[in-house]
Amino acid sequence: MGHIRFDHRAVVAAAKAERGTWVLAGVYPTSMSGKAAVLRIALARRMPSYEPAGTFEAYHAPHEDGGTAVWTRYVAGLPAVEPRPSSKTYRVCDRGTGRGYEGVRIVTVTVAPECPRCGGPRGEARPHRFSEDGAWYIVDKWSNGCGHTDSYDAVLAEYRKLVAQLEEAEQRDAARAVKAGPAQAGEYTAAVLLLNTAAAETRGLLARHGAQYLDMRGETEAARRIQEELKRRSGAMSARQAATFLVELAAARQACDRCENGRVNYQAEDGEFVSLRCPTCRRDVVPNA
Ligand SMILES: [Zn+2]
Ligand SMILES: [Zn+2]
């Protein structure tokens, strides 16, 4: 494909008319040319319409015709515009894949922030309440500025593909860790090896199941720390991530100089002696009698 001329003056005029709103600058034949255009827009290099440098932001995303879409927005002035999200989260209806009626299940999906057809930003979620078979449900509805509609089925498929890719990558990661030999994880060394071995065997193994497994194998303290961390992350953690978490916790413990054996002891203003569990070490500590 030869050189493509885009009407950047018109793009800039449209973007300036609606500061903060993304405008399609062009669809480039390759991802390399798209990426180069993103850089040139931000720096206003060989693109005089976008001067002065720094007044426009740009990003690139796949376009359904196989090219790379470049979107830009005018950001000069105040107040600062919202940063572009790295993903979008929506609650959608899952009606199963069978032919018959299977009822409805609400699934929270995290997907790309762009429309898969044109690369334009996906819309903001608006809660929508509905009833079915005598039960009430809340899902999200959104409309994309580009005018393309995301169906719940398409978004679910996109999400499941992302999850499968992530699970595959984590499985490979865990296998690599097992091959590399036991990690330096202090008292968790055995637990980390168990977790990595299990995560390498079972694709998509969750931290919750990893913790149960550790508990059964006598690694009860490690299992409790994972359960604690799971609560903190509101349940979203894989067994592979749990193994990484234990390695980090062991390192933090080793470096901790704030406590004595997992306890922070001090005298409060009223003269009372207080002994708290160290938030860095997170050891189980027996309360003082
Ligand atoms: Zn679109
Ligand atoms: Zn400590």
Side-chain angles (χ1 to χ4, degrees):
M1 220 183 260
H3 186 73
I4 301 170
R5 291 194 76 90
F6 296 113
D7 189 355
H8 285 293
R9 288 213 339 225
V11 169
V12 161
K16 280 188 170 170
E18 249 185 295
R19 178 179 171 270
T21 300
W22 293 100
V23 175
L24 180 64
V27 181
Y28 289 76
T30 63
S31 79
M32 220 166 68
S33 54
K35 280 177 197 167
V38 164
L39 271 177
R40 288 210 316 277
I41 287 174
L43 302 170
R45 187 185 295 155
R46 284 190 287 127
M47 290 227 184
S49 314
Y50 296 91
E51 278 172 356
T55 50
F56 284 83
E57 280 182 355
Y59 73 85
H60 61 90
H63 190 276
E64 63 177 343
D65 75 3
T68 295
V70 171
W71 288 72
T72 186
R73 66 176 175 178
Y74 183 61
V75 294
L78 288 169
V81 296
E82 285 277 310
R84 197 168 75 92
S86 57
S87 63
K88 280 279 186 190
T89 299
Y90 301 115
R91 290 165 295 184
V92 302
C93 288
D94 180 7
R95 297 182 177 280
T97 49
R99 284 159 151 264
Y101 178 72
E102 295 178 30
V104 62
R105 209 162 60 90
I106 308 304
V107 180
T108 300
V109 300
T110 298
V111 289
E114 307 96 17
C115 164
R117 295 183 59 189
C118 69
R122 275 181 160 145
E124 291 310 313
R126 292 186 314 271
H128 170 73
R129 202 161 169 261
F130 69 99
S131 77
E132 189 167 307
D133 280 346
W136 282 96
Y137 301 94
I138 298 176
V139 285
D140 289 318
K141 289 193 175 262
W142 66 97
S143 50
N144 302 330
C146 59
H148 295 129
T149 308
D150 286 317
S151 76
Y152 283 160
D153 282 350
V155 167
L156 269 170
E158 182 184 327
Y159 169 65
R160 289 189 176 130
K161 200 171 149 195
L162 283 174
V163 169
Q165 283 169 349
L166 192 77
E167 286 177 355
E168 237 175 88
E170 287 202 321
Q171 189 179 25
R172 276 197 305 270
D173 219 31
R176 217 175 289 135
V178 172
K179 229 174 149 187
Q184 292 294 318
E187 63 249 67
Y188 296 138
T189 301
V192 168
L193 185 61
L194 281 171
L195 272 182
N196 279 333
T197 307
E201 273 167 21
T202 309
R203 180 175 299 178
L205 189 71
L206 297 174
R208 182 158 50 90
H209 299 137
Q212 282 166 358
Y213 176 62
L214 289 185
D215 205 37
M216 282 182 339
R217 301 293 295 260
E219 299 290 338
T220 51
E221 207 260 343
R224 276 200 297 278
R225 293 296 79 79
I226 292 170
Q227 264 142 7
E228 240 175 36
E229 185 66 10
L230 261 169
K231 264 189 212 134
R232 219 173 58 87
R233 301 191 192 182
S234 35
M237 186 162 55
S238 67
R240 172 66 190 139
Q241 286 169 332
T244 309
F245 158 72
L246 288 181
V247 173
E248 283 165 3
L249 179 58
R253 259 182 198 179
Q254 200 123 64
C256 184
D257 56 5
R258 292 199 210 148
C259 67
E260 292 163 45
N261 246 334
R263 281 195 159 282
V264 182
N265 304 306
Y266 63 98
Q267 194 171 6
E269 275 172 36
D270 60 5
E272 195 84 25
F273 282 96
V274 184
S275 180
L276 295 175
R277 185 176 172 222
C278 174
T280 306
C281 294
R282 301 211 222 165
R283 279 179 229 272
D284 284 331
V285 288
V286 190
N288 283 351

